[in-house]
Structures are given as C-alpha cells and as structure tokens.
Amino acid sequence: MEDEAPLLVIVDGANVVGSRPDGWWRDRKGAAERLRDRLAEQGLPGHPTPVELVLVVEGAARGVASVPGVRVESAPGSGDDRIVELAAQDTGRPRLVVTADRELRRRVSELGADVIGPSAVLH
C-alpha cells in the first residue's frame, strides 16, 4: 500500500503578504520572495510531518521562482481562482489553505480543505 500523500499547504501569497503593513506594496515581488524564503526555511510551524508547500502569487508578484521546499505558482489571473483549482485537484489528500480572505475560505472549505489564517506562517 502506498504511503499517504503529505499535507498540501496552499498559501495565498497576496493575502498573507498583505496582512502586515511592512511596506510590501512598494515591492510586491520582493515581499513574495521573502515569504517564499521564510516558508522554505521554517515550513509550516507546528507541523512536524512532511508537507508540500505551494505559494500562489498574482499580479506584480508573478515570476517569483520556486525553491527547494516551496513550489511557486504564478496565477495567470485571479490568485483566488488558482488556489481553488489547486485545492480541487487533490481532493483525496489533506489540504490546508492559508488565507484570511472570507470568500476564498468559503470556496475551499466547500471542497473539503481546511483553512488557517496568515499568522500561522508569520510567527
């Protein structure tokens, strides 16, 4: 029997970056790269088990490269729509979406994904 797939963690890059007023709006791509690097270094705090981290970026943050431990998905349009697509692809495995966006939380919850807020990855 195959081992279960690791927890799929989908991070709403724009929402997480935008949750702290640290000047991110002056360099959206740089802010997304800092978040990516933090995720690569720290993983998902409080989750010792293996996780697959996917950071979804949009708009001016498109073009951020993936690094070992974090796959970056540049949404061709809406980041929220791309997050929903990713959550819908793997319904047979545990999925966790990191966002504070109420509508996105509703959409991915309907697909069976769990949701946590940005503070979970910013500690």
Side-chain angles (χ1 to χ4, degrees), residues 75-121:
S78 160
D80 289 2
D81 289 346
R82 183 65 185 133
I83 290 166
V84 171
E85 288 170 5
L86 291 168
Q89 287 175 1
D90 281 318
T91 56
R93 72 189 279 195
R95 290 147 298 136
L96 180 65
V97 175
V98 182
T99 188
D101 181 299
R102 286 186 184 144
E103 176 62 13
L104 179 57
R105 291 171 78 97
R106 183 195 62 75
R107 291 172 69 191
V108 298
S109 292
E110 288 176 353
L111 296 169
D114 292 319
V115 183
I116 57 175
S119 63
V121 296

Side-chain angles (χ1 to χ4, degrees), residues 14-121:
N15 187 267
V16 172
V17 165
S19 71
R20 292 216 168 145
D22 62 0
W24 59 264
W25 51 89
R26 290 189 292 269
D27 180 10
R28 292 170 194 255
K29 187 174 181 184
E33 289 170 338
R34 288 188 297 279
L35 175 58
R36 175 207 57 201
D37 295 346
R38 178 185 207 130
L39 292 168
E41 182 181 312
Q42 298 178 3
L44 181 63
H47 261 277
T49 58
V51 299
E52 178 184 349
L53 282 164
V54 179
L55 174 62
V56 176
V57 296
E58 64 187 358
R62 282 190 197 105
V64 171
S66 295
V67 297
V70 180
R71 184 175 93 228
V72 179
E73 291 266 341
S74 290
S78 160
D80 289 2
D81 289 346
R82 183 65 185 133
I83 290 166
V84 171
E85 288 170 5
L86 291 168
Q89 287 175 1
D90 281 318
T91 56
R93 72 189 279 195
R95 290 147 298 136
L96 180 65
V97 175
V98 182
T99 188
D101 181 299
R102 286 186 184 144
E103 176 62 13
L104 179 57
R105 291 171 78 97
R106 183 195 62 75
R107 291 172 69 191
V108 298
S109 292
E110 288 176 353
L111 296 169
D114 292 319
V115 183
I116 57 175
S119 63
V121 296

